[in-house]
Amino acid sequence: MESGNVAWILVSAALVLFMTPGLAFFYGGMDRSRNVLNMLMMNFYCVLVVPIVWVVIGYSLAQVPFDNGFIGGFDAVMLKGIGLDDNGGSLATIAYLGMFAAITPALISGAVADRMKFSAWAIFVPVWSLIVYVPVFKWVFGGWLGQRGSLDFAGGTAIHVNAGIAALAAVLVLGKRRGWPQEGHPPHSMPLVMIGTGILWFGWFGFNAGSALAANGQAVQAFMNTFLAAAAGGLAWVLVEWKRDGHPTNLGAASGIVAGLVAITPAAGYVSGASPIWIGLLAGVICSYTVRAKVRFGFDDSLDVVGVHFAGGLVGSLLIGFFANPAFFGGEFREGLFYGGSLRLLGEQALANGVAIVWSFGLTYAIMVVLKRTMGVRVDPEVEANGLDLELHGETAYHGGGLH
Amino acid sequence: MESGNVAWILVSAALVLFMTPGLAFFYGGMDRSRNVLNMLMMNFYCVLVVPIVWVVIGYSLAQVPFDNGFIGGFDAVMLKGIGLDDNGGSLATIAYLGMFAAITPALISGAVADRMKFSAWAIFVPVWSLIVYVPVFKWVFGGWLGQRGSLDFAGGTAIHVNAGIAALAAVLVLGKRRGWPQEGHPPHSMPLVMIGTGILWFGWFGFNAGSALAANGQAVQAFMNTFLAAAAGGLAWVLVEWKRDGHPTNLGAASGIVAGLVAITPAAGYVSGASPIWIGLLAGVICSYTVRAKVRFGFDDSLDVVGVHFAGGLVGSLLIGFFANPAFFGGEFREGLFYGGSLRLLGEQALANGVAIVWSFGLTYAIMVVLKRTMGVRVDPEVEANGLDLELHGETAYHGGGLH
Amino acid sequence: MESGNVAWILVSAALVLFMTPGLAFFYGGMDRSRNVLNMLMMNFYCVLVVPIVWVVIGYSLAQVPFDNGFIGGFDAVMLKGIGLDDNGGSLATIAYLGMFAAITPALISGAVADRMKFSAWAIFVPVWSLIVYVPVFKWVFGGWLGQRGSLDFAGGTAIHVNAGIAALAAVLVLGKRRGWPQEGHPPHSMPLVMIGTGILWFGWFGFNAGSALAANGQAVQAFMNTFLAAAAGGLAWVLVEWKRDGHPTNLGAASGIVAGLVAITPAAGYVSGASPIWIGLLAGVICSYTVRAKVRFGFDDSLDVVGVHFAGGLVGSLLIGFFANPAFFGGEFREGLFYGGSLRLLGEQALANGVAIVWSFGLTYAIMVVLKRTMGVRVDPEVEANGLDLELHGETAYHGGGLH
Amino acid sequence: MKLITAVVKPFKLDEVKAALRSAGVVGMTVTEVRGFGRQGGHTETYRGAEYQIDFVPKCKLELVVEDADADRLVDVLVEGARTGKIGDGKVWVANIETLVRIRTGESGPDAV
Amino acid sequence: MKLITAVVKPFKLDEVKAALRSAGVVGMTVTEVRGFGRQGGHTETYRGAEYQIDFVPKCKLELVVEDADADRLVDVLVEGARTGKIGDGKVWVANIETLVRIRTGESGPDAV
Amino acid sequence: MKLITAVVKPFKLDEVKAALRSAGVVGMTVTEVRGFGRQGGHTETYRGAEYQIDFVPKCKLELVVEDADADRLVDVLVEGARTGKIGDGKVWVANIETLVRIRTGESGPDAV
Ligand SMILES: Nc1ncnc2c1ncn2[C@@H]1O[C@H](COP(=O)(O)OP(=O)(O)O)[C@@H](O)[C@H]1O
Ligand SMILES: Nc1ncnc2c1ncn2[C@@H]1O[C@H](COP(=O)(O)OP(=O)(O)O)[C@@H](O)[C@H]1O
Ligand SMILES: Nc1ncnc2c1ncn2[C@@H]1O[C@H](COP(=O)(O)OP(=O)(O)O)[C@@H](O)[C@H]1O
């Protein structure tokens, strides 16, 4: 592999690693000051445990042998047989994919905020990674769903839809926060939210453009798409809420940026021209409404993982059925409806997401129920009232003045 | 284009994108806690609207056709005709330049802080981008000013002088903040300022060294210059204030770093050896005094955009006339005075900046006056007193304790 | 040099620059709110003064002539003779190494927190860089210790052990903080600590993988090692404290991540497979105990520079003697004990660290004593009580509400 | 007139406020405070070092009320703030001489 | 002696302080508080969900003064803090028994 | 019963608390406040512009105590908080009518 490609994959991997702290700040800022450290810890924990799980067994199960459509095997356990030939190209890819494995369960943490036992989370993350993330990843990237022709460039189905629907299953088992939805909890630190947003967008260039696994034209287009869809998503959300709620807000901008980024993720290497703008705009508008579903349907998805990641990921994934443009890329994938294609691609997208949704929802629900029956998943009401930071982690986020 | 160059441009573009949040935190930390979200929003808004404007029409007007000395045209509207040949090289450059387009109006936000209507800002940004930024950019990079031989490596004239003088025009129309200059408002969060400073310096390597549009010797020297000038600028400011005001401060270090970075921006690909140290030192010393001009002359440039970006950009741009060293780069530009050149280069630098200043000041003033006469540019005194965060955005930066 | 390699070195250099602010936030968040700005300033000061010192004289002394085993000379003073041939490769390396020179003394700041005169620090940093850092760097990288066969990939001995033992010497001269160890001072802002942690990990990919000075297989393995050791270190620390103290904490996760990163630093380009996981786990467990040494032995190392950087660096450096795997890299270094090597490598590691420890401890102690006898190193008790931010820097970290 | 001061658990604030409002209270002033009492503090552990935090977060309410309402409102307050667990807090009542509404200059009961 | 307590709008604090200083006050203590009153709170909207924030930021001033000065200073305070808009705040006065200056141990009017 | 209010230097808080505890105090409430007084404020310089900060950080303690203990505790407090330097703060005492323990509803001295 050329040094330029190796450099690009390594940079992209570092960028995706940086996204998990970014996500932690994005979520943590939205949380109350007595639970922010629990939120940070749930996220940081993912980058502690998943990397180990990934290289010990996850990668092997997710990929090797490559021609197996359903699940890999044990051939590459603990990186067995992975050398540095090809200038380190394959090892770089494994590291890069490990970053994705780490951030995916972290996405779910926003939904279960403020009430989940950390001990349960500590078990949930590696288990979920192995029995939910790994198979869906396999099926979508190189496995049977991918082989049928569904497209997912950087993880719309495998990551956002997957984690988003898992978040729904998790909160259905976990139950609502004390006082929700009557009591509101505005973000305790909007600057922290915006720090997270900045890091997320920055890192997402690695997430999407890195998924070309080379510094080539497709990477460049994915980069441009990531730039435009995020901007369009943020703009759309801000305009909707300005009209609807009377104010253009920072949280709206941040949420719209993330919605646009989520939606372009599956499509980034397949669409071109003005398409990312349309995808971003649609995602921004739609997600600014889907975040309201939780109140209507009564599931307490604390920080809107379902409304943003599930909805945004699904929107983006289905829009590939309209906007995919193989001619532009000189690629061998199906055309979208707007580029002369048939309904076939849209059908494949629907199928792939449908399978991911069923698998992820069902198994996540099952994992949560087992955890609930064994160790319990929910903190005591008093712990919830006093705040998880102090009760579970023995820490307090801010200590000021002379009072300590 | 080699993969190494593509990788470098993409990384640089991501770094420049990251600078706008960085700028938001740098400015936002300096602001009072009741206006910090408005400040963040003004900055983030730029990366929402400008990318769209840039690819829809801005880039085309700014560049295509390339041989037009005054203004581009409509040939590349909505990226028409831009493919992925040359390994994505041209598209990468368009994305990269889009980041510059986005951060330039964001610079102005520091001047108008605490009192500008967000609705007026929402119009100002795209309009200013198209009728002020785009032409100046064209003239300097490839247009008539550049063709005459003036030098601007990464945007000293096109970005910092341009935005800096626009900031002056904007505040002259907008008027002073209530209570200024009698009432002082120390930074509400210095750690936030320093977070912004760290991000800005980090991102600035992409801004300057990326402007070589290749991972080559010129990029490396631009990188080294960015490193040294920032350090020298920060050191100079700190030493000046230590002597003058009695304390070495974080805000002084941060301001000096930014001043050094601004000053080296136009020169980064043209100077070598000890020159960046001198440029940084001079910028640090000079800007530590120019920030005082606002009180003497009575214009309320809230966060010193004029004193740092206009002054620093001008200093750096004129110093090219002394320090430019084509022999070192094997480049085809004129020598500076210290390297055996004539006054010609200095003259061209003065001309280019003079033209940018007149155009930018005049048109920015005109835009602001039109906005003032139509929708109004200034919030009500009560809004100003209560804080823009709550009044304009319906948000509060920090919510602590049990009081909500 | 290929453009891909140049790109990678430049990116790595930018990442390492970003680490110093990251370190500042990591330390600053742990500090009390009345001293956080002093802590930030001590760190930022390093990136202001050291870059200048490095290019003016440090690099030359540290490297040129290359075949001198003990100390360089004056041939490359102020970058004399360094051109842009080889596509800027050598200049890129000098910039990259300058980042390391800057962060090394910054590490020490955590130990002397809350009581050192900033004026003394301002002298200490450049002096220490030249007479402690530069020789040790030379001996380890290309000098007599390296020539004998000791290994230090990215600065375990030259940076972490060196700065860690210097921290011990510094606090022995400086004395304890008022009230220590009876009075405790919990971190004033854990989110700031975690922001620093995120930046440090992100930047450390440049620190370690960049040290291959090319985007090649060794860089990729160093990257993977950095990923795994940090995760394992964080996991180990969290598990130890969960068992021992009853809570898994964010500060534990952060400290373990840093401990893992420190320990893998010297080994990153020499070990493979599961080795980084073992190294990270060991470092996490060991450092979670070595941080307690300060209370037992009564030296007031405020933010655990000795317990984390000295201990972690030493652990990692010695473990090379067990885990070094030249066959995997096709490299020409000695095997570790687990890969069929003799005790020789371990002996060389012990020698190199021993020499670094003696030199660094002795000279740092001497510098501090001289500073103490001349200008004084310690602030007045009243300054310490009122906080260094206000007294030394005339600044306050946070200004909230209407009370100013 | 009377000044009722109450120190309560932060998460009870909303309930107390609602109860007082129902009881006719139209104004009060709240402060974030730290309490030291029988409840004791807690321990936080950072890098294995224990820090004893003696002060726990509380909210302090201050209400100026008419003499006749004082007893009743103290009861309402006590009712609303009680969890029955240690650390529920205290209420005390002091006499005050004047109350003035700044906006209008009204004083006495009219100013409440 | 008297303890004057005032709750005022934060942005009026500087003016009030200046007015009191001119009226001879040399010491006071200020607290950031949150007020609940007729002024009502405000609504913040996050992701389209409305949060009712009942408590608005206020500053509380406490001044211990000599009996003879109390009325005059209340007037100065009311004057300085008034905007005429709802939410301007309240002033109340209570009797206190002793005032001691910690530094010197002086007590009574000398301690002010 | 009596309400003792004290404004002290923040870094003296721990000492004062310890002294009061030794003197038998089992409960108190502390607030972060800002003081304005003879001590004067300080100047901060940002980008060469001076800002006069008049208010310095202080801690305010409130203790409700039995009448008989008040004088003694004031002395303990004054003792513990004194540095002898300007700005040491003030202590004042007011009468209060009732004290209620929310948890139990006890009132008067039993509620302390
Ligand atoms: N004597 C006192 N004076 C002032 N405040 C007190 C006093 N005693 C307790 N408090 C406040 O009441 C809170 C609860 O008191 P505590 O003794 O912990 O529990 P309880 O009221 O249930 O006996 C304390 O945290 C403190 O804020
Ligand atoms: N009865 C009261 N006791 C204590 N504080 C009060 C009382 N009523 C009002 N306040 C304080 O005064 C502030 C202003 O009161 P509000 O009723 O909003 O307006 P106004 O004083 O103009 O009638 C409130 O925010 C609150 O802090
Ligand atoms: N008259 C007063 N009423 C209320 N608080 C006061 C008064 N005078 C001083 N204080 C408080 O006491 C603190 C110390 O007072 P100061 O005049 O600075 O010093 P000293 O008490 O040593 O004379 C002030 O910062 C303020 O918080």
Side-chain angles (χ1 to χ4, degrees):
Chain A
M1 190 181 269
E2 285 176 34
S3 62
N5 294 335
V6 172
W8 178 237
I9 297 176
L10 292 186
V11 172
S12 295
L15 284 168
V16 182
L17 184 280
F18 198 31
M19 288 176 73
T20 302
L23 186 69
F25 308 137
F26 180 70
Y27 281 161
M30 270 190 264
D31 216 327
R32 270 170 297 174
S33 55
R34 64 174 180 261
N35 293 330
V36 50
L37 294 182
N38 174 253
M39 182 47 68
L40 299 188
M41 190 73 182
M42 284 203 283
N43 282 275
F44 273 87
Y45 177 72
C46 292
V47 280
L48 302 187
V49 78
V50 178
I52 314 289
V53 171
W54 181 251
V55 301
V56 170
I57 172 79
Y59 169 71
S60 189
L61 284 178
Q63 293 266 278
V64 186
F66 291 97
D67 51 3
N68 182 333
F70 286 90
I71 192 75
F74 299 96
D75 293 359
V77 158
M78 195 54 246
L79 303 178
K80 200 159 40 127
I82 312 286
L84 296 183
D85 43 284
D86 192 22
N87 207 18
S90 16
L91 191 68
T93 305
I94 297 171
Y96 179 62
L97 294 178
M99 307 300 180
F100 286 75
I103 199 172
T104 309
L107 292 172
I108 302 171
S109 66
V112 301
D114 298 356
R115 61 201 187 283
M116 187 164 176
K117 275 190 178 176
F118 186 74
S119 53
W121 180 254
I123 305 295
F124 178 84
V125 170
V127 171
W128 189 89
S129 295
L130 284 175
I131 74 182
V132 181
Y133 179 70
V134 156
V136 173
F137 178 93
K138 174 73 181 179
W139 302 343
V140 168
F141 297 114
W144 69 281
L145 291 171
Q147 285 159 12
R148 291 179 54 96
S150 75
L151 298 175
D152 186 4
F153 191 67
T157 306
I159 291 173
H160 294 286
V161 167
N162 191 353
I165 198 72
L168 179 63
V171 298
L172 290 180
V173 179
L174 194 57
K176 304 170 191 178
R177 283 168 294 173
R178 168 181 175 280
W180 187 85
Q182 300 79 34
E183 273 177 47
H185 302 294
H188 91 281
S189 172
M190 277 303 303
L192 193 58
V193 172
M194 300 316 283
I195 289 172
T197 306
I199 294 174
L200 281 173
W201 193 349
F202 176 53
W204 223 298
F205 288 114
F207 199 96
N208 286 354
S211 288
L213 295 175
N216 59 15
Q218 192 183 33
V220 172
Q221 183 64 46
F223 190 102
M224 181 60 110
N225 289 340
T226 303
F227 182 39
L228 294 176
L235 194 62
W237 191 308
V238 167
L239 293 178
V240 166
E241 67 177 4
W242 203 343
K243 187 100 185 53
R244 185 184 69 188
D245 314 327
H247 297 110
T249 71
N250 281 270
L251 190 60
S255 307
I257 289 169
V258 172
L261 289 165
V262 167
I264 201 64
T265 294
Y270 307 123
V271 305
S272 62
S275 304
I277 300 182
W278 294 116
I279 293 173
L281 288 173
L282 280 165
V285 172
I286 290 171
C287 293
S288 78
Y289 285 95
T290 50
V291 289
R292 301 174 146 204
K294 66 179 183 184
V295 176
R296 164 148 334 166
F297 297 108
F299 59 93
D300 182 11
D301 170 17
S302 312
L303 307 177
D304 298 312
V305 182
V306 181
V308 174
H309 294 273
F310 175 69
L314 196 59
V315 164
S317 193
L318 296 177
L319 288 177
I320 296 175
F322 297 86
F323 288 108
N325 183 4
F328 182 82
F329 292 93
E332 310 220 323
F333 50 88
R334 290 204 180 82
E335 285 89 6
L337 282 168
F338 296 162
Y339 289 83
S342 69
L343 274 167
R344 180 70 196 278
L345 179 56
L346 188 59
E348 290 298 339
Q349 294 302 107
L351 176 70
N353 284 291
V355 168
I357 289 169
V358 170
W359 180 269
S360 178
F361 185 90
L363 280 182
T364 306
Y365 200 95
I367 297 170
M368 286 293 289
V369 167
V370 170
L371 287 173
K372 184 175 178 173
R373 299 250 169 98
T374 51
M375 66 195 306
V377 289
R378 184 147 184 154
V379 298
D380 293 340
E382 192 152 348
V383 171
E384 198 178 337
N386 290 335
L388 277 64
D389 290 1
L390 193 55
E391 298 276 350
L392 300 188
H393 305 290
E395 296 181 298
T396 305
Y398 306 99
H399 279 107
L403 296 176
H404 54 85
Chain B
M1 191 181 267
E2 284 175 35
S3 62
N5 294 335
V6 172
W8 178 238
I9 297 176
L10 291 186
V11 172
S12 295
L15 285 168
V16 182
L17 185 279
F18 199 30
M19 288 176 73
T20 303
L23 185 69
F25 308 137
F26 180 70
Y27 282 160
M30 270 190 262
D31 216 328
R32 271 170 297 174
S33 56
R34 63 176 181 258
N35 292 331
V36 50
L37 294 182
N38 173 251
M39 181 47 68
L40 299 188
M41 190 73 182
M42 285 203 281
N43 282 274
F44 272 88
Y45 177 72
C46 293
V47 279
L48 302 187
V49 76
V50 177
I52 314 287
V53 170
W54 180 250
V55 301
V56 169
I57 173 81
Y59 168 71
S60 188
L61 283 178
Q63 292 267 278
V64 186
F66 292 96
D67 51 3
N68 180 331
F70 287 90
I71 192 75
F74 299 96
D75 293 359
V77 158
M78 196 53 247
L79 304 178
K80 202 159 37 129
I82 313 285
L84 296 182
D85 44 283
D86 193 22
N87 207 17
S90 17
L91 191 67
T93 305
I94 298 172
Y96 180 62
L97 295 178
M99 306 301 179
F100 287 74
I103 200 172
T104 309
L107 293 172
I108 303 172
S109 67
V112 301
D114 299 355
R115 61 202 188 284
M116 186 162 176
K117 276 190 177 178
F118 186 74
S119 54
W121 179 253
I123 305 294
F124 177 85
V125 170
V127 170
W128 188 88
S129 295
L130 285 175
I131 73 182
V132 180
Y133 179 70
V134 156
V136 173
F137 178 93
K138 174 73 183 178
W139 303 342
V140 168
F141 297 113
W144 68 281
L145 291 171
Q147 285 159 13
R148 290 180 53 98
S150 75
L151 298 175
D152 186 3
F153 191 66
T157 306
I159 292 174
H160 294 287
V161 167
N162 191 353
I165 199 72
L168 179 62
V171 299
L172 290 180
V173 178
L174 195 57
K176 303 170 192 177
R177 283 168 295 173
R178 169 182 175 280
W180 188 85
Q182 300 79 32
E183 274 177 45
H185 303 295
H188 91 280
S189 173
M190 276 304 301
L192 193 58
V193 171
M194 301 316 282
I195 289 172
T197 305
I199 294 174
L200 281 173
W201 193 349
F202 176 53
W204 224 298
F205 288 113
F207 200 96
N208 286 354
S211 288
L213 296 175
N216 58 15
Q218 191 183 34
V220 172
Q221 183 63 47
F223 190 102
M224 181 59 111
N225 289 340
T226 303
F227 182 39
L228 294 176
L235 194 62
W237 191 308
V238 167
L239 294 177
V240 166
E241 66 178 4
W242 203 343
K243 187 101 185 54
R244 185 183 68 189
D245 314 326
H247 297 109
T249 71
N250 281 270
L251 190 61
S255 306
I257 288 168
V258 173
L261 289 165
V262 167
I264 202 63
T265 295
Y270 307 124
V271 305
S272 62
S275 304
I277 301 182
W278 294 116
I279 293 173
L281 288 173
L282 281 165
V285 172
I286 291 171
C287 293
S288 78
Y289 285 96
T290 49
V291 289
R292 301 175 146 203
K294 66 179 182 181
V295 177
R296 163 147 335 166
F297 297 108
F299 59 94
D300 182 10
D301 170 17
S302 312
L303 306 177
D304 299 312
V305 182
V306 180
V308 174
H309 293 273
F310 175 68
L314 196 60
V315 164
S317 192
L318 296 177
L319 287 176
I320 296 175
F322 296 86
F323 288 107
N325 183 4
F328 182 82
F329 292 92
E332 309 220 321
F333 49 90
R334 291 205 180 81
E335 285 88 5
L337 282 168
F338 296 162
Y339 289 84
S342 69
L343 274 168
R344 180 71 197 276
L345 179 56
L346 189 59
E348 289 299 337
Q349 295 304 107
L351 175 70
N353 283 292
V355 168
I357 289 168
V358 169
W359 180 269
S360 179
F361 185 89
L363 279 183
T364 306
Y365 200 94
I367 297 170
M368 286 294 288
V369 167
V370 170
L371 287 174
K372 184 175 179 176
R373 300 250 168 98
T374 50
M375 66 194 306
V377 289
R378 182 145 185 156
V379 299
D380 292 341
E382 191 151 351
V383 170
E384 198 178 337
N386 290 335
L388 277 63
D389 290 1
L390 193 55
E391 297 276 350
L392 300 189
H393 305 290
E395 295 181 298
T396 304
Y398 307 99
H399 278 107
L403 297 177
H404 52 86
Chain C
M1 190 180 268
E2 284 176 34
S3 62
N5 294 336
V6 173
W8 179 238
I9 297 176
L10 292 186
V11 171
S12 294
L15 284 168
V16 183
L17 185 279
F18 198 32
M19 288 176 73
T20 303
L23 185 69
F25 308 137
F26 180 71
Y27 282 161
M30 268 189 264
D31 216 327
R32 270 170 297 174
S33 57
R34 64 173 180 260
N35 292 330
V36 50
L37 294 182
N38 174 253
M39 182 46 68
L40 299 187
M41 191 73 182
M42 284 202 283
N43 283 274
F44 273 87
Y45 177 72
C46 293
V47 280
L48 302 187
V49 77
V50 177
I52 313 288
V53 171
W54 180 250
V55 302
V56 170
I57 172 80
Y59 169 72
S60 188
L61 284 178
Q63 293 267 279
V64 186
F66 290 97
D67 50 3
N68 180 333
F70 286 89
I71 192 74
F74 300 96
D75 292 0
V77 158
M78 195 53 248
L79 304 178
K80 204 161 34 134
I82 313 286
L84 296 183
D85 43 284
D86 194 23
N87 208 18
S90 17
L91 190 67
T93 305
I94 298 172
Y96 179 62
L97 295 177
M99 306 301 179
F100 286 75
I103 200 173
T104 308
L107 292 173
I108 303 171
S109 67
V112 300
D114 298 356
R115 60 201 187 285
M116 185 164 177
K117 275 190 178 178
F118 186 73
S119 53
W121 180 254
I123 305 294
F124 177 84
V125 171
V127 171
W128 189 88
S129 294
L130 284 175
I131 73 183
V132 180
Y133 179 71
V134 155
V136 174
F137 178 93
K138 174 72 182 179
W139 303 341
V140 168
F141 297 114
W144 68 281
L145 291 170
Q147 285 160 12
R148 289 179 55 96
S150 76
L151 298 175
D152 187 3
F153 190 67
T157 306
I159 292 173
H160 294 287
V161 167
N162 191 354
I165 199 72
L168 179 61
V171 299
L172 290 179
V173 180
L174 194 56
K176 304 169 191 177
R177 283 168 295 172
R178 168 181 175 280
W180 187 86
Q182 301 79 33
E183 273 178 47
H185 302 295
H188 92 280
S189 174
M190 277 303 302
L192 193 58
V193 172
M194 301 316 282
I195 288 172
T197 305
I199 294 174
L200 281 173
W201 193 350
F202 176 54
W204 222 298
F205 287 114
F207 199 96
N208 286 354
S211 288
L213 296 175
N216 59 16
Q218 192 183 35
V220 172
Q221 183 63 47
F223 190 102
M224 182 58 113
N225 289 340
T226 303
F227 182 40
L228 293 176
L235 195 61
W237 191 307
V238 167
L239 293 178
V240 166
E241 67 177 3
W242 202 345
K243 187 101 185 51
R244 185 183 68 188
D245 314 326
H247 296 111
T249 70
N250 281 270
L251 191 61
S255 306
I257 288 168
V258 172
L261 289 165
V262 167
I264 201 63
T265 294
Y270 306 123
V271 305
S272 63
S275 304
I277 300 182
W278 294 116
I279 293 174
L281 288 173
L282 280 165
V285 172
I286 291 172
C287 293
S288 78
Y289 286 95
T290 49
V291 290
R292 300 174 147 205
K294 66 179 183 183
V295 176
R296 161 146 339 164
F297 297 108
F299 60 93
D300 182 10
D301 170 17
S302 312
L303 306 177
D304 298 311
V305 181
V306 181
V308 175
H309 293 274
F310 175 69
L314 196 60
V315 164
S317 192
L318 295 178
L319 288 176
I320 296 175
F322 297 85
F323 288 107
N325 183 4
F328 183 82
F329 292 93
E332 310 221 320
F333 50 90
R334 290 204 181 80
E335 285 88 5
L337 283 167
F338 296 162
Y339 289 83
S342 70
L343 274 168
R344 179 72 196 276
L345 179 56
L346 190 58
E348 290 298 338
Q349 294 305 106
L351 175 69
N353 283 292
V355 169
I357 289 168
V358 171
W359 181 269
S360 179
F361 185 90
L363 280 182
T364 306
Y365 200 94
I367 298 170
M368 285 294 289
V369 167
V370 171
L371 286 174
K372 185 176 178 174
R373 299 250 168 98
T374 50
M375 66 196 304
V377 289
R378 185 146 184 156
V379 299
D380 292 341
E382 191 152 351
V383 171
E384 198 179 337
N386 290 335
L388 277 64
D389 291 1
L390 193 55
E391 296 277 350
L392 300 189
H393 305 290
E395 294 181 300
T396 304
Y398 307 99
H399 278 108
L403 296 178
H404 53 86
Chain D
M1 305 187 68
K2 303 287 180 193
L3 169 67
I4 305 178
T5 304
V7 177
V8 306
K9 290 189 169 164
F11 70 86
K12 275 291 187 176
L13 179 65
D14 277 341
E15 244 165 279
V16 172
K17 184 192 68 188
L20 289 171
R21 203 185 225 168
S22 310
V25 168
V26 294
M28 67 184 107
T29 299
V30 182
T31 316
E32 283 184 52
V33 299
R34 305 266 159 168
F36 170 82
R38 284 188 179 71
Q39 181 188 359
H42 61 264
T43 309
E44 301 187 7
T45 315
Y46 292 97
R47 288 184 168 165
E50 295 203 343
Y51 298 108
Q52 178 58 28
I53 310 288
D54 283 330
F55 292 104
V56 296
K58 299 279 172 192
C59 286
K60 186 172 86 171
L61 288 79
E62 288 168 300
L63 298 91
V64 180
V65 301
E66 290 187 51
D67 290 353
D69 294 333
D71 287 353
R72 185 176 55 90
L73 291 174
V74 168
D75 290 347
V76 169
L77 228 160
V78 167
E79 204 65 20
R82 180 178 294 153
T83 68
K85 300 239 180 64
I86 196 161
D88 274 354
K90 314 276 176 194
V91 184
W92 62 84
V93 180
N95 211 40
I96 65 159
E97 300 181 354
T98 352
L99 172 71
V100 183
R101 183 194 309 281
I102 292 174
R103 170 164 48 100
T104 56
E106 289 160 284
S107 67
D110 291 347
V112 174
Chain E
M1 304 186 69
K2 304 286 180 194
L3 170 67
I4 304 179
T5 304
V7 177
V8 306
K9 291 189 169 163
F11 69 86
K12 274 290 186 176
L13 179 64
D14 278 341
E15 245 165 279
V16 172
K17 185 191 66 189
L20 288 170
R21 202 186 227 166
S22 311
V25 168
V26 294
M28 68 183 107
T29 299
V30 182
T31 315
E32 283 184 52
V33 298
R34 305 265 160 170
F36 170 83
R38 284 188 180 72
Q39 182 188 359
H42 61 264
T43 309
E44 301 187 8
T45 315
Y46 292 97
R47 287 184 169 166
E50 295 203 344
Y51 298 108
Q52 178 57 29
I53 311 287
D54 283 329
F55 292 104
V56 296
K58 300 278 171 193
C59 286
K60 186 173 85 169
L61 289 80
E62 288 169 299
L63 298 91
V64 180
V65 302
E66 290 186 52
D67 290 354
D69 293 334
D71 288 353
R72 186 176 55 90
L73 291 174
V74 168
D75 289 349
V76 169
L77 228 160
V78 167
E79 203 65 20
R82 180 178 294 153
T83 67
K85 298 241 179 64
I86 196 161
D88 274 354
K90 314 276 176 194
V91 184
W92 62 83
V93 181
N95 211 39
I96 66 159
E97 299 181 355
T98 353
L99 172 72
V100 182
R101 183 193 309 280
I102 293 175
R103 170 165 47 101
T104 56
E106 289 160 285
S107 67
D110 290 347
V112 173
Chain F
M1 304 187 69
K2 304 286 180 194
L3 169 68
I4 304 179
T5 303
V7 177
V8 307
K9 291 188 169 164
F11 70 85
K12 275 291 188 177
L13 179 65
D14 277 341
E15 243 165 282
V16 172
K17 184 192 68 188
L20 289 170
R21 202 185 227 167
S22 311
V25 168
V26 294
M28 69 184 105
T29 299
V30 182
T31 315
E32 283 184 51
V33 298
R34 305 265 160 172
F36 170 84
R38 284 188 180 70
Q39 181 188 359
H42 60 264
T43 308
E44 302 186 8
T45 315
Y46 293 98
R47 287 184 169 166
E50 295 203 343
Y51 296 109
Q52 177 59 28
I53 311 287
D54 283 329
F55 292 104
V56 296
K58 300 278 171 193
C59 284
K60 186 172 86 171
L61 289 80
E62 288 168 301
L63 298 92
V64 180
V65 303
E66 289 186 52
D67 291 354
D69 293 334
D71 288 353
R72 186 176 55 89
L73 291 174
V74 167
D75 289 348
V76 169
L77 229 159
V78 166
E79 203 64 18
R82 179 178 295 153
T83 67
K85 298 241 179 65
I86 196 161
D88 274 354
K90 313 278 176 193
V91 183
W92 62 84
V93 180
N95 212 39
I96 65 158
E97 301 181 353
T98 351
L99 173 72
V100 183
R101 184 193 311 279
I102 292 174
R103 171 164 48 100
T104 55
E106 288 160 284
S107 66
D110 291 346
V112 174

